Amino acid sequence: EDQVWYFFCRLDYKYKNSKRASRATESGYWKVTGKPRFILARDSGDQIGVKKTLVFFYRARGDIKPISTQWVIHEYKAAELLPDQVGLLLFAYAVVNGLF
């Protein structure tokens, strides 16, 4: 049985005055794949958020080209946030067959 973990995280920006997200880690980076999908309210059909699919790319020591992994994470961003919620994202990570 697959498990899904949900967690919140503050968005880190690539540059100080930039809107570009930095999804880099010590061992690789998360890359957006596919098109962002709009999340619509059931009752009104208004856009209430955006869902992005990210895949992890591993950078092995000495390798120039990153290696794509099977790790997938979904990033959710609300369309409207309160001032203290700016930059806050919800992530969903599916643990498949107990593997990370």
Side-chain angles (χ1 to χ4, degrees), residues 38-49 79-80:
F38 298 113
I39 302 168
L40 305 176
R42 286 186 187 165
D43 55 347
S44 65
D46 294 338
Q47 180 185 340
I48 58 172
E80 294 182 18

Side-chain angles (χ1 to χ4, degrees), residues 28-45:
Y29 60 93
W30 291 96
K31 182 179 178 182
V32 177
T33 59
K35 296 179 182 179
R37 293 180 298 273
F38 298 113
I39 302 168
L40 305 176
R42 286 186 187 165
D43 55 347
S44 65

